[in-house]
Amino acid sequence: MRRHSTRERVASPQLDVGRSEVTLSRLQLLVTRKLDGLLQGDYLGLLPGPGTEPGESREYRPGDDVRRMDWPVTARTTVPHVRQTIVDRELETWLAVDLSASLDFGTADCLKRDLALAAVAAMSHLTVRGGNRIGAVVGTGSNTYRVPARPGRRGAQTLLRSVARTERPAAGGRTDLAALIDALNRPPRRRGMAVVISDFLAPTGWERPLRRLAVRHDVLAVEVLDPRELELPDVGVLELVDPETGLVHEVQTTPAVRARYAAAASEQRAAISAALRHAGVGHLRLRTDSDWLLDIVRFVAAQRHARTRGTTR
C-alpha cells in the first residue's frame, strides 16, 4: 500500500521563501522586466475605476455605471450620455495580505506564501508611479501588522521587505479575514485602491467587509491556490496535515473519494468567485502551477480593454 504525505512542500527556486535581500532583489528585477511599460501614463490605476474628477461626456454603452449618467446632456440630446471621470492625480493603494498558515503549502512550482509575496511585488510595482503611495495590513493568524503608506519605488521596496520578513506565530492559526479587510476601512481615507491577497479559505463572513470596502474604493481580490486543493492524486493512503491546527488525517484516495473531493472543491471555488462578484470587486486568480506573471499581464490587459470600451469591470 502506497503512502503519500503532504508534509513535503516544494519551494520554488525562483520564489524561495528565504528572506535574503538577494531573493527579494531577484523578485523585484523579474517583476520590473516583465511588467514595466504595461501601464502607460503616471496616474493610471490597475482597475478601470471611475476616479473622482469630472471629465467629458459620451454616449451610454451597455455595461456603463448608471450612477454616472449625465442627465443634462441626455435631456438636451435625447440620447443617453454618461459623464466620464479622470483618475485622481495621486492614488493611494492599500494591500490586505493574508499570511495564514494555510498559505505555507504548495505542491507545484512554489508555495502559496511565495505567490502572495509575488502578488505584493507586482501590485506595488504597478501602482506606485507618479508618487503614488502604497501601504499594507498583514495578517499572520493571531497577529496583524500595519505597514504605513509611503510614496514611490523606495516605499514599495520597503513594503515588500516588511511583508517578506513578517514573523509567523509558532502556533500557526487562521487570520480573521473579515477583520483584516475591515482594517482597510480604518481610518477613513479618500477614494483609492485596495488589494486583498488571500486564499479565501476563511469561513464566510468576509463578504460584507469587502462590499463596504468596494463602496468607496476600487477593490481587487487576488486569490492564490494550489492544484492539490482542487483534486487529490491517486496515491493510495494520503496523509493530510492541516497547517492551521496541526491535525493529521489519513485518507484512502479511492476513485469515489477523489470524485467527491473534486466536486466539493469546485463548489467551494465557485462560491468564492460568486461572493467576490457580488461584492463588485475585481478577481485575479493565481496558481502555484502556472505562470503568475503571465496571468497578471493578461488580467491587466483585460482591464485596460474594458477601460477603453468604457465599462467598469
Side-chain angles (χ1 to χ4, degrees), residues 29-299:
L29 181 61
L30 177 64
V31 169
T32 301
R33 285 180 175 177
K34 296 293 185 180
L35 299 184
D36 202 28
L38 184 62
L39 294 179
Q40 301 298 324
D42 291 336
Y43 305 103
L44 289 179
L46 191 60
L47 293 175
T52 58
E53 299 181 9
E56 298 180 352
S57 291
R58 62 164 174 78
E59 290 189 12
Y60 173 87
R61 298 171 185 167
D64 285 340
D65 190 342
V66 295
R67 293 174 295 181
R68 295 164 51 198
M69 292 295 297
D70 191 335
W71 296 113
V73 175
T74 299
R76 187 169 61 250
T77 63
T78 69
V79 177
H81 277 69
V82 293
R83 172 70 65 175
Q84 292 180 298
T85 50
I86 303 171
V87 177
D88 297 318
R89 294 294 290 177
E90 290 185 1
L91 176 72
E92 185 168 281
T93 300
W94 277 88
L95 311 178
V97 187
D98 177 10
L99 295 183
S100 299
S102 64
L103 277 86
D104 293 325
F105 175 78
T107 61
D109 298 330
C110 62
L111 302 179
K112 292 197 296 181
R113 183 184 177 94
D114 300 334
L115 207 52
L117 182 61
V120 171
M123 297 303 126
S124 60
H125 179 81
L126 290 172
T127 59
V128 297
R129 296 166 179 260
N132 294 336
R133 297 161 56 87
I134 186 167
V137 178
V138 185
T140 61
S142 58
N143 300 323
T144 301
Y145 305 91
R146 183 178 292 267
V147 182
R150 297 183 176 90
R153 296 295 174 86
R154 182 170 296 180
Q157 292 173 357
T158 300
L159 181 142
L160 180 60
R161 292 191 181 96
S162 298
V163 174
R165 295 170 180 170
T166 300
E167 294 294 333
R168 290 161 292 172
R174 175 182 293 158
T175 298
D176 186 341
L177 186 57
L180 186 68
I181 296 173
D182 219 24
L184 297 184
N185 283 315
R186 303 189 305 269
R189 54 190 176 87
R190 71 176 185 176
R191 183 182 178 89
M193 182 176 176
V195 181
V196 181
I197 303 172
S198 174
D199 55 11
F200 293 95
L201 294 180
T204 57
W206 47 264
E207 299 93 335
R208 181 172 295 180
L210 196 62
R211 286 196 297 269
R212 286 199 300 265
L213 186 65
V215 168
R216 183 168 180 81
H217 305 287
D218 296 322
V219 182
L220 170 63
V222 180
E223 178 190 4
V224 294
L225 62 88
D226 185 85
R228 194 59 66 234
E229 296 172 323
L230 302 177
E231 59 182 8
L232 293 176
D234 183 9
V235 292
V237 177
L238 179 65
E239 186 178 83
L240 302 174
V241 182
D242 187 340
E244 295 182 344
T245 64
L247 295 178
V248 179
H249 301 275
E250 290 188 352
V251 178
Q252 180 70 44
T253 57
T254 63
V257 169
R258 296 200 310 274
R260 290 199 301 269
Y261 180 92
S266 177
E267 182 179 350
Q268 179 189 50
R269 292 299 166 177
I272 292 173
S273 296
L276 296 176
R277 184 170 58 255
H278 293 159
V281 305
H283 182 196
L284 169 61
R285 177 174 288 174
L286 301 179
R287 295 172 51 120
T288 61
D289 62 343
S290 65
D291 187 336
W292 56 272
L293 267 174
L294 181 59
D295 291 337
I296 292 175
V297 169
R298 287 172 174 169
F299 176 82

